[in-house]
Each structure stands twice: as structure tokens, then as C-alpha cells.
């Protein structure tokens, strides 16, 4: 009798070992995937899904195994309540063990959107609408006022209100969510710059600093020149001299600008023509980066009122109109 009991115990132990070995093998064997011509299987786990529903979603999306097997694995692991909602990519070689780890860690499939310093709203929207796996939930067209309203920004015009940076987002993220993140980043950077401003500036608010920073951004791409360009515009604002900035005129021309700025454009009055109107334009004209924001509130100590491009990316700065004319003859007319 004892011998029979011993045999049954031994058989049970062997069965347990065989089952454990089978489970261990299954956990580390790549899951079969129905790729259907794609490099990965896309899976969306909705918020509030139970472990059983997650397993069913995995199978429906292209994991070619049984939903009950996956569900049982989730339960036995003790982590069935730790599965995170999101958008996932499953590549060939994914095992049940790595699948669970991915879902518990929330390692979603992400993409990147880069907003470039100096871009305007039209360019931002073009990048957003061509970004991979970003859902376009934005208003049609490229009206900055309508865009600001849609995003719920604190200001009425969206131009220049997004901080140029690279933003990471999960697949199938609404575009508005990414732009709100970029707008929040600009608000923070603008506040940081404004807190470091020099005293006595002819700027009444952070918004005016943002407008000036956008002009600086478009006037030069040379980092060392930005505080000097800022000084020229600050000096002009102090004495009531018009800014006479070509980029503001170009912005005012909109899509009608053909790349050639003519004399008639400089005298045609628009809200953005700083040749015909004193002070700052009504809104930013582009997205300034951090260096332009800082230059706007920390201009160089200079009495310069003029600058002209040298043709090598740098600018020549002048205190008087006579010096400026000489620089123009040297660097523009001569060239």
C-alpha cells in the first residue's frame, strides 16, 4: 500500500515537473504573430479593460494563441491588475514573458514630432498633419485664432506659442494633446526668461518679450549675434524709432510672399509692417527658441541702432546712420 502511494506521489511530482517545464518553455518561446504584411502587430489596450479583455484584444489584434492561455498567465503571474492601457507594438520574437513585462511597464509604441525654431503656425500644422500616427483633431485650415480657441490657450492667437523641441507621443495620440504640451512648454520657458529680465526694458509683459524674441529668431541664426540684435530693437523701442524688420513685413504678406521682398512691400501698410508702424507687431511672427527668449530680456549692452547681414551668417552693427550706410555699401551693395 505504501509502495502504491509512493508511486502515485512520484508520478504526481513528475507531472508537476513536466508541467512546469512546459510552462517555462511556453513563457520564453516567441508568440506566433499575424503580421499581415506589417513589421509589427499593433495592439490598443483601452482604459478600464480587465485582464480577460486584454487577452482577447491581443488575440484579436494578431497574437496567434489562445486568449484563455494569456489570461491564465496574467492571473498566475500576480500582475493581472497591473496591465496598463495604451498603444503597443509587438515585434517578432515577443514571448509571453516579455509581453507581460511590456504591458506592466507601460512601454507604449511612441513616435517623435520635432518643432523647429523659427517655424510659423503654417509650418507647425504641416508637420503635425504629416506626423506618423498622430490623430488630426485640429480645425481645418491654418487660422492661428481658431487654433488658439480650439486648444484653449490663454491668448487669442496661436502664433509663436509652441516651444520648439522634440515631443514624444504614443501612437494614435490626438494632435491637440501634443500642441497643448508644446504650448505649456512655451509658457514655462517664457516665464523663466521673464523672471531673468534686465531692469528698465521697454517691454510691458512676457507676451511683448515673446513677440520681440520671435523677431530676433527670424533676424539671425547666429547665437552670438542675438543679444546684439535684441539691443538694436530695444534701443529703437526706447526712443520710439520704428523697428524696420524685414521678417515682420514678410509675415504680414502671408502666403502671398514669393521670396522676393520689394520696396513696394516695405511701404504697403499692414499690422505687421514695422517700417510703417511704430512699436512691436500685434503677435509673434514665429516660434523663438530659448536663446532668442533670453536675448529679448537680456540684450547686450550696446548703443547700436542698425545692423546689416554680412553674408556669412553674421551681422555688422552700427551706432549711426552714416556707419550703417557704409556697412550696407560694404556688405550688401558691394557683394
Amino acid at each position: 500500500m505504501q509502495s502504491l502511494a509512493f508511486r502515485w506521489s512520484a508520478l504526481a511530482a513528475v507531472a508537476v515537473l513536466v508541467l512546469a517545464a512546459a510552462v517555462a518553455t511556453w513563457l520564453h518561446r516567441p508568440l506566433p504573430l499575424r503580421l499581415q504584411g506589417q513589421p509589427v502587430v499593433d495592439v490598443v489596450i483601452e482604459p478600464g479593460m480587465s485582464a480577460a479583455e486584454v487577452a482577447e484584444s491581443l488575440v484579436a489584434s494578431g497574437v496567434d494563441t489562445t486568449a484563455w492561455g494569456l489570461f491564465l498567465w496574467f492571473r498566475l503571474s500576480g500582475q493581472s491588475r497591473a496591465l496598463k492601457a495604451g498603444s503597443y507594438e509587438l515585434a517578432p520574437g515577443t514571448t509571453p514573458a516579455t509581453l507581460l513585462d511590456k504591458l506592466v511597464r507601460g512601454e507604449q509604441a511612441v513616435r517623435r514630432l520635432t518643432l523647429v525654431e523659427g517655424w510659423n503656425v503654417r509650418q507647425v500644422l504641416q508637420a503635425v498633419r504629416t506626423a506618423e500616427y498622430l490623430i488630426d483633431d485640429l480645425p481645418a485650415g491654418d487660422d492661428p485664432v481658431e487654433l488658439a480657441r480650439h486648444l484653449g490657450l490663454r491668448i487669442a492667437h496661436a502664433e509663436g506659442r509652441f516651444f520648439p523641441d522634440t515631443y514624444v507621443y504614443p501612437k494614435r495620440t490626438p494632435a491637440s494633446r501634443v500642441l497643448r504640451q508644446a504650448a505649456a512648454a512655451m509658457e514655462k520657458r517664457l516665464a523663466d526668461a521673464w523672471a531673468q529680465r534686465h531692469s528698465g526694458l521697454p517691454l510691458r509683459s512676457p507676451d511683448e518679450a515673446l513677440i520681440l524674441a520671435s523677431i530676433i529668431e527670424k533676424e539671425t541664426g547666429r547665437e552670438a549675434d542675438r543679444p546684439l540684435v535684441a539691443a538694436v530693437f530695444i534701443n529703437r523701442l526706447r526712443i520710439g524709432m520704428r523697428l524696420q524688420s524685414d521678417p515682420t513685413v514678410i509675415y504680414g504678406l502671408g502666403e502671398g510672399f514669393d521670396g522676393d521682398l520689394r520696396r513696394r512691400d516695405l511701404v504697403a501698410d499692414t499690422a505687421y509692417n514695422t517700417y510703417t508702424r511704430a512699436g512691436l507687431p500685434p503677435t509673434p511672427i514665429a516660434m523663438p527658441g530659448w536663446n532668442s527668449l533670453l536675448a529679448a530680456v537680456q540684450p547686450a549692452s550696446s548703443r547700436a541702432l542698425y545692423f546689416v547681414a554680412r553674408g556669412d551668417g553674421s551681422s555688422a552693427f552700427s551706432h549711426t546712420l552714416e556707419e550703417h550706410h557704409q556697412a550696407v555699401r560694404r556688405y550688401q551693395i558691394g557683394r
Side-chain angles (χ1 to χ4, degrees), residues 274-292:
T274 52
Y275 282 84
T276 61
R277 299 193 183 194
L280 294 166
T283 72
I285 61 171
M287 297 186 303
W290 171 248
N291 289 329
S292 292

Side-chain angles (χ1 to χ4, degrees), residues 224-306:
D225 282 355
R226 287 180 180 173
L228 285 165
V229 170
V232 168
F233 290 134
I234 288 292
N235 290 339
R236 288 187 169 210
L237 287 171
R238 279 198 177 108
I239 63 176
M241 184 177 177
R242 293 175 184 176
L243 299 185
Q244 296 180 314
S245 169
D246 290 356
T248 66
V249 178
I250 292 170
Y251 183 83
L253 295 173
E255 294 185 71
F257 180 61
D258 62 4
D260 186 13
L261 190 63
R262 301 171 177 84
R263 183 173 296 277
R264 68 170 181 264
D265 298 324
L266 301 180
V267 298
D269 184 51
T270 73
Y272 291 88
N273 190 335
T274 52
Y275 282 84
T276 61
R277 299 193 183 194
L280 294 166
T283 72
I285 61 171
M287 297 186 303
W290 171 248
N291 289 329
S292 292
L293 286 171
L294 205 57
V297 297
Q298 295 183 358
S301 179
S302 170
R303 295 182 294 106
L305 289 171
Y306 307 91

Side-chain angles (χ1 to χ4, degrees), residues 29-78:
R29 178 183 297 160
L31 288 161
L33 303 177
R34 300 189 302 275
L35 295 173
Q36 299 178 338
Q38 301 298 317
V40 295
V41 167
D42 286 314
V43 180
V44 177
I45 306 302
E46 301 291 349
M49 274 188 172
S50 66
E53 290 170 327
V54 169
E56 291 171 0
S57 179
L58 288 164
V59 172
S61 298
V63 180
D64 204 1
T65 188
T66 60
W68 67 265
L70 289 174
F71 169 66
L72 185 61
W73 161 228
F74 296 157
R75 289 296 302 271
L76 291 176
S77 72

Side-chain angles (χ1 to χ4, degrees), residues 42-315:
D42 286 314
V43 180
V44 177
I45 306 302
E46 301 291 349
M49 274 188 172
S50 66
E53 290 170 327
V54 169
E56 291 171 0
S57 179
L58 288 164
V59 172
S61 298
V63 180
D64 204 1
T65 188
T66 60
W68 67 265
L70 289 174
F71 169 66
L72 185 61
W73 161 228
F74 296 157
R75 289 296 302 271
L76 291 176
S77 72
Q79 300 188 85
S80 61
R81 295 182 181 276
L83 307 180
K84 293 181 174 60
S87 179
Y88 297 89
E89 289 177 342
L90 305 184
T94 299
T95 67
T98 58
L99 170 62
L100 177 62
D101 184 62
K102 182 187 289 284
L103 296 179
V104 170
R105 292 167 63 90
E107 292 180 358
Q108 297 189 56
V110 297
R111 295 296 185 269
R112 288 170 172 78
L113 172 68
T114 298
L115 304 182
V116 179
E117 295 175 352
W119 275 4
N120 58 32
V121 160
R122 288 196 304 274
Q123 292 167 303
V124 169
L125 290 176
Q126 182 179 7
V128 166
R129 286 172 175 147
T130 57
E132 190 179 27
Y133 292 107
L134 197 58
I135 299 172
D136 186 1
D137 63 338
L138 302 173
D142 54 15
D143 181 5
V145 174
E146 181 60 29
L147 180 60
R149 184 183 301 114
H150 178 82
L151 296 177
L153 303 185
R154 67 170 180 81
I155 42 75
H157 201 283
E159 191 63 80
R161 296 291 169 169
F162 310 110
F163 188 73
D165 203 348
T166 296
Y167 297 90
V168 178
Y169 61 91
K171 290 172 67 174
R172 299 178 182 83
T173 293
S176 59
R177 184 180 303 171
V178 177
L179 288 185
R180 288 189 184 100
Q181 181 183 354
M186 179 59 86
E187 283 291 308
K188 182 180 185 307
R189 292 298 190 120
L190 180 57
D192 290 345
W194 186 249
Q196 302 176 52
R197 68 189 183 279
H198 289 172
S199 60
L201 295 178
L203 301 173
R204 296 171 296 181
S205 67
D207 290 340
E208 288 194 350
L210 180 61
I211 294 171
L212 179 57
S214 74
I215 299 173
I216 296 167
E217 185 70 51
K218 296 300 289 183
E219 283 284 5
T220 180
R222 189 169 185 262
E223 298 297 340
D225 282 355
R226 287 180 180 173
L228 285 165
V229 170
V232 168
F233 290 134
I234 288 292
N235 290 339
R236 288 187 169 210
L237 287 171
R238 279 198 177 108
I239 63 176
M241 184 177 177
R242 293 175 184 176
L243 299 185
Q244 296 180 314
S245 169
D246 290 356
T248 66
V249 178
I250 292 170
Y251 183 83
L253 295 173
E255 294 185 71
F257 180 61
D258 62 4
D260 186 13
L261 190 63
R262 301 171 177 84
R263 183 173 296 277
R264 68 170 181 264
D265 298 324
L266 301 180
V267 298
D269 184 51
T270 73
Y272 291 88
N273 190 335
T274 52
Y275 282 84
T276 61
R277 299 193 183 194
L280 294 166
T283 72
I285 61 171
M287 297 186 303
W290 171 248
N291 289 329
S292 292
L293 286 171
L294 205 57
V297 297
Q298 295 183 358
S301 179
S302 170
R303 295 182 294 106
L305 289 171
Y306 307 91
F307 66 93
V308 63
R310 286 194 175 101
D312 62 357
S314 66
S315 300

